[in-house]
Amino acid sequence: MTKKEMLYEGKGKKLFFTDDENLLISEFKDDLTAFNALKKGSEEGKGALNCKISKVLFDLLEKNGIATHLVQVLSDNEMLVKKVSIIPIEVVVRNIATGSLVKRLGLTDGEKLPFTLVEFYYKDDSLGDPLINDAHAMLLKTVKDVSELDKLRELGNKVNEVLVPFFDAKGLILVDFKLEFGVDKDGNILLADEISPDSCRLWDKNTLEKLDKDRFRQDIGSVRAGYERVLNAILN
Ligand code: ADP
Ligand code: MG
């Protein structure tokens, strides 16, 4: 598969065209950003860790009937993916209150939520990815109809139902995570982007130690060491 010109460079990945118009190469970068890119950093090997972790999780989800964009892993930090038109909604799924949810609603940090909370954020860096409701999503023409929003909520819940017990069996708590979906050339909704410690909060079940990007946000220990623990846990 030939890597052609770059289509897009984001904060955590670069996307490249290939000789197949329906396929892209997603290259995971070592760069780290937080707080809408106000905080910047880099950690050698982080991209490769995220690529490997995403691969395991995409495979697991595929096995459980959730269609993803992953075609195959090409190298330490590159995967071949199906090109989709990204739905500009970040689907955030939460099991435990932390981060912006605690700030917004005054909940207790670490409190278990009585049900899985699925939220939509409008994917727009210049606006700081604001929380939106269904009416806002329709107003912004992010989806063609309300049923697509219901579909995204259903998929968010389904992914959670697969990932929570999976991580639990590996000694990790899946606190919350962000998903991105896109529409492929045939109109199918595919899970795209990545599922990694950059996009999930994962805590050690016994010690509640944070093993995800909060280590970078809050300067609490080596990012790489945390991500390595996640990878090793899910490979065992
Ligand atoms: P961002 O800075 O927006 O977080 P990333 O660094 O994560 O961007 O780069 C990935 C970009 O590529 C994101 O905008 C994401 O929506 C998009 N993307 C992810 N998977 C696909 C795909 N299969 N097809 C097209 N675009 C994708
Ligand atoms: Mg991203």
Side-chain angles (χ1 to χ4, degrees):
M1 187 58 61
T2 320
K3 197 169 180 177
K4 294 186 140 182
E5 70 274 21
M6 191 167 73
L7 163 66
Y8 178 78
E9 175 164 9
K11 298 183 293 293
K13 295 181 295 298
K14 290 178 184 169
L15 290 182
F16 296 87
F17 288 107
T18 66
D19 35 30
D20 183 330
E21 62 174 357
N22 298 313
L23 300 177
L24 299 173
I25 291 173
S26 174
E27 183 190 300
F28 288 71
K29 306 200 295 184
D30 287 341
D31 297 353
L32 282 151
T33 65
F35 312 117
N36 200 22
L38 280 175
K39 179 169 179 169
K40 290 193 177 76
S42 179
E43 181 98 7
E44 207 195 315
K46 191 271 292 184
L49 285 162
N50 278 356
C51 184
K52 292 185 173 70
I53 293 166
S54 285
K55 153 82 178 153
V56 172
L57 300 176
F58 281 143
D59 282 351
L60 174 73
L61 292 169
E62 283 280 357
K63 248 195 278 163
N64 283 277
I66 295 155
T68 80
H69 71 161
L70 175 62
V71 178
Q72 67 180 100
V73 168
L74 299 174
S75 75
D76 263 3
N77 71 334
E78 293 169 307
M79 48 173 66
L80 187 64
V81 299
K82 289 177 189 154
K83 185 171 188 282
V84 295
S85 167
I86 291 285
I87 299 168
I89 292 179
E90 298 195 338
V91 178
V92 171
V93 182
R94 300 176 184 268
N95 297 302
I96 291 175
T98 194
S100 66
L101 183 69
V102 165
K103 286 208 192 90
R104 197 180 325 117
L105 301 185
L107 302 177
T108 306
D109 205 322
E111 175 183 337
K112 192 179 174 344
L113 297 171
F115 54 86
T116 303
L117 179 65
V118 181
E119 300 174 319
F120 294 149
Y121 292 80
Y122 182 41
K123 193 173 154 51
D124 185 318
D125 282 338
S126 67
L127 298 174
D129 299 336
L131 176 74
I132 55 169
N133 63 23
D134 283 25
H136 297 140
M138 293 305 297
L139 198 73
L140 290 164
K141 298 191 168 65
T142 54
V143 286
K144 58 176 192 307
D145 53 44
V146 178
S147 74
E148 216 163 277
L149 295 173
D150 290 333
K151 179 84 190 153
L152 293 180
R153 261 188 291 269
E154 187 190 314
L155 283 165
N157 274 301
K158 222 169 141 186
V159 169
N160 195 49
E161 278 158 26
V162 174
L163 294 187
V164 166
F166 172 76
F167 280 116
D168 180 69
K170 310 292 183 183
L172 302 174
I173 301 172
L174 180 60
V175 174
D176 58 31
F177 56 95
K178 181 265 302 180
L179 302 173
E180 291 183 27
F181 294 91
V183 183
D184 74 4
K185 64 171 188 350
D186 304 317
N188 303 308
I189 295 184
L190 304 184
L191 175 60
D193 208 46
E194 68 185 286
I195 312 184
S196 74
D198 275 4
S199 61
C200 301
R201 285 194 176 95
L202 290 160
W203 295 352
D204 181 296
K205 210 161 99 175
N206 297 314
T207 63
L208 300 183
E209 192 182 348
K210 297 174 175 31
L211 301 175
D212 53 72
K213 201 167 89 173
D214 275 345
R215 294 167 83 91
F216 171 69
R217 291 190 190 96
Q218 302 168 8
D219 293 306
I220 43 169
S222 154
V223 172
R224 190 190 167 126
Y227 289 31
E228 272 169 354
R229 272 173 61 189
V230 171
L231 179 63
N232 291 333
I234 65 175
L235 287 178
N236 282 321

